[in-house]
Amino acid sequence: MTLSGDLLIGGANVRGSAATFAAVNPANGSPMQPSFAGATREQIDQAASLAWDAFPVYKETSLEDRARFLEAIAEGILALGDELVLRAIEETGLPRGRIEGERARTVGQLRLFAKEVRDGAFQELRFDPADADRKPVAKPDLRLRNIALGPVAVFGASNFPLAFSVAGGDTASALAAGCPVIVKAHSAHPGTSALVGKAVVGAVAISGLPRGTFALLFDVGFEVGQTLVADHRIRAVGFTGSRRGGTALMKIASERKQPIPVYAEMSSINPVILYPNALLGRGAEIGKSFAASLTLGAGQFCTNPGLIIAIEGAGLDAFIESAAATLAEAPAQNMLTGGICEAYRKGVARLLAASSVSLISSGKNGTAHQASAALFQTTAAAFLANPELQEEVFGAAGLIVRCHDDSELRRVVESLEGQLTIALHVDAEDVAAASQMIPQLELLAGRLLVNGFGTGVEVSPAMVHGGPYPATSDGRSTSVGTLAIYRFLRPVSYQDFPVGLLPTPLKDVQAAARVQK
């Protein structure tokens, strides 16, 4: 498929009229062809207008047609074959195995949501029959269903060019809910985005859906995203990125005449709490596993384990020795963009300059386009006194907080901001102590795990990829798993409607009654 660098609006290629830009190969800093042109306000308006026109039709498509549409997107992505894989490798510097795995995850998400749509339970159909004889007031006939919110603006993520991008989890769940989607592609991988966008447009056409069901816009700056969020026809936002970016969009959304929800996944340092008996029995083993998790993908995961909390002792010393030795052999790695690499280096430099922090180990040096892993340590007292030590360093940098005793460890945990994940490493003898901590941890994170690290996020009906602010803007939601569909729905109750006026799903009283039971 020839890449044109065009926007995708109304099912057609449209040349952007704003500033042009090109993807940059992160391995060598060289620009790639073709150039991509950003969307103007007029082109954003066109996409939003088409999405709004498509909404009343698309939201009432049959569940089977909507499920087949999601499956058609999955098939279209697979049909791109190596063209997609090679372009994604070139634009991100990620290895083939990572890209192929992410493609499989993207396709799997779409198929999972197709299954969820066919099941229909997300509609939450409820029927409460009338009772004319009820005293002192007759009881009305009430029926309820969830409906789609409206067109959704989705922002592609820098660190997942497929699974959190054009046809990733936000797009899949919004389309599953019945919402048209306008994607603002990430400027780091526009070619990858364009290829996937073409697959979605093809699925729209094959499925006979309104041409405004999907659009793909480019921009080298912030204007497209800001304009989309402010547009009165956009009714929700899906975002994965920095805290600064997420809070900026939240501000725009809250200042609209009709504020809208922004589901932003932002920052998390994903604490790991190491309990004494686990450390004594297998501190070295845990240290090696931690180092592998910290450096996976150059640490460019939102669930990267950036903070270790443990009580001082021989077990912690064994953990540190093992982790330090493993990290010292870790090769420098390409980061996704020059900007991300520079931000990581500044974060490491900030920790190096902190008087209360010391460097334990660092990885091997690399080229100007690569970053080396780094592991630091500090005391619990210093961590509690310096809130800036909680700031995320996006990349393979970790900080160990050494605590004198369990009381100090608990104070450190109580000081934490909201997180995506918190991991516990325990042996049988630690369970009693750890169980006392669980109620506190439930208030801090969306996912708790034992004897592992959060870097693997299973796409599952039981997964929560979210957490209290600032991990996300709304800790009641998830961006991974089938519960993600509920972000883009709202309930509507229909009172005393004649059958002819009822939406199709609520006309079958017996079926609705069975759901209610």
Side-chain angles (χ1 to χ4, degrees):
M1 183 184 297
T2 302
L3 289 173
S4 62
D6 292 338
L7 314 171
L8 296 174
I9 301 176
N13 284 13
V14 177
R15 187 62 186 175
S17 302
T20 60
F21 67 98
V24 175
N25 187 318
N28 54 33
S30 62
M32 300 169 59
Q33 295 297 321
S35 65
F36 290 79
T40 62
R41 287 183 175 269
E42 292 75 20
Q43 290 167 328
I44 298 167
D45 179 77
Q46 181 188 6
S49 178
L50 287 168
W52 187 248
D53 290 343
F55 174 52
V57 178
Y58 180 61
K59 82 180 181 73
E60 298 300 343
T61 53
S62 72
L63 298 185
E64 180 60 27
D65 287 347
R66 205 183 304 169
R68 288 180 179 175
F69 169 47
L70 294 170
E71 291 168 341
I73 298 173
E75 292 304 315
I77 291 172
L78 290 175
L80 292 169
D82 243 20
E83 182 181 12
L84 175 63
V85 173
L86 294 175
R87 181 73 188 199
I89 290 171
E90 193 174 8
E91 287 187 331
T92 65
L94 296 171
R96 173 180 279 270
R98 160 69 190 275
I99 295 298
E100 290 179 341
E102 196 176 322
R103 178 179 61 180
R105 172 176 170 167
T106 304
V107 168
Q109 287 176 153
L110 288 160
R111 289 172 172 164
L112 181 66
F113 277 108
K115 181 180 178 182
E116 184 75 3
V117 169
R118 279 195 180 94
D119 176 75
F122 70 93
Q123 299 174 102
E124 295 281 353
L125 302 180
R126 300 179 182 222
F127 174 65
D128 192 9
D131 182 358
D133 297 326
R134 191 183 72 173
K135 303 298 182 184
V137 179
K139 182 181 179 183
D141 180 277
L142 290 168
R143 309 181 193 204
L144 178 147
R145 69 164 178 161
N146 283 334
I147 69 166
L149 289 179
V152 174
V154 169
F155 288 74
S158 64
N159 57 336
F160 280 88
L162 297 174
F164 279 87
S165 191
V166 174
D170 286 342
T171 296
S173 54
L175 291 175
C179 300
V181 170
I182 301 175
V183 174
K184 191 273 185 187
H186 198 283
S187 57
H189 39 77
T192 304
S193 298
L195 289 170
V196 176
K198 281 287 190 180
V200 181
V201 167
V204 169
I206 290 170
S207 304
L209 297 172
R211 59 196 184 102
T213 302
F214 174 82
L216 177 65
L217 306 179
F218 294 104
D219 186 16
V220 72
F222 305 110
E223 185 172 0
V224 166
Q226 293 171 348
T227 303
L228 270 178
V229 176
D231 192 284
H232 67 279
R233 291 157 294 198
I234 297 298
R235 297 304 169 94
V237 176
F239 172 84
T240 299
S242 68
R243 189 188 306 192
R244 179 181 177 185
T247 53
L249 298 182
M250 290 162 60
K251 185 174 187 294
I252 294 170
S254 69
E255 293 174 347
R256 290 174 34 147
K257 182 178 180 180
Q258 180 183 2
I260 59 173
V262 175
Y263 295 104
E265 182 208 307
M266 296 178 289
S267 61
S268 180
I269 54 176
N270 306 294
V272 180
I273 304 173
L274 306 178
Y275 278 84
N277 289 288
L279 281 174
L280 283 174
R282 47 194 176 89
E285 175 189 338
I286 299 172
K288 186 176 181 179
S289 298
F290 161 72
S293 182
L294 183 72
T295 56
L296 183 67
Q300 297 169 113
F301 292 95
C302 46
T303 52
N304 202 49
L307 186 71
I308 296 289
I309 307 170
I311 297 172
E312 292 180 320
L316 179 58
D317 292 341
F319 168 88
I320 291 174
E321 183 179 354
S322 175
T326 304
L327 284 178
E329 296 301 317
Q333 298 183 66
N334 293 321
M335 299 198 80
L336 291 159
T337 69
I340 291 174
C341 189
E342 181 62 22
Y344 171 74
R345 288 172 176 164
K346 287 181 178 179
V348 169
R350 174 172 53 81
L351 289 172
L352 284 169
S355 59
S356 60
V357 176
S358 60
L359 178 67
I360 294 174
S361 180
S362 58
K364 294 182 177 179
N365 293 325
T367 69
H369 301 283
Q370 295 179 317
S372 302
L375 182 61
F376 300 86
Q377 67 178 348
T378 190
T379 64
F383 184 83
L384 292 168
N386 296 281
E388 66 271 14
L389 294 181
Q390 288 199 43
E391 293 178 12
E392 179 185 28
V393 178
F394 188 68
L399 176 65
I400 298 172
V401 179
R402 305 179 69 111
C403 304
H404 288 307
D405 52 30
D406 184 68
S407 175
E408 196 168 54
L409 183 147
R410 294 179 72 88
R411 289 200 300 276
V412 169
V413 171
E414 288 169 0
S415 75
L416 296 175
E417 298 180 317
Q419 306 292 332
L420 292 172
T421 75
I422 297 178
L424 308 175
H425 284 256
V426 299
D427 279 354
E429 295 84 356
D430 299 311
V431 169
S435 65
Q436 297 177 22
M437 185 78 77
I438 299 302
Q440 175 67 24
L441 301 184
E442 289 173 335
L443 299 177
L444 289 173
R447 177 162 59 110
L448 307 178
L449 59 149
V450 173
N451 292 337
F453 299 94
T455 40
V457 183
E458 183 73 20
V459 180
S460 161
M463 176 54 67
V464 171
H465 188 60
Y469 185 88
T472 64
S473 56
D474 187 340
R476 300 168 297 177
S477 64
T478 176
S479 61
V480 176
T482 53
L483 279 177
I485 194 172
Y486 290 95
R487 297 175 297 169
F488 306 117
L489 298 166
R490 67 178 180 86
V492 175
S493 182
Y494 303 81
Q495 181 171 330
D496 290 332
F497 266 51
V499 173
L501 276 180
L502 280 169
T504 299
L506 291 176
K507 288 180 178 180
D508 187 344
V509 172
Q510 293 181 337
R514 288 196 297 271
V515 172
Q516 176 66 9
K517 289 178 182 179

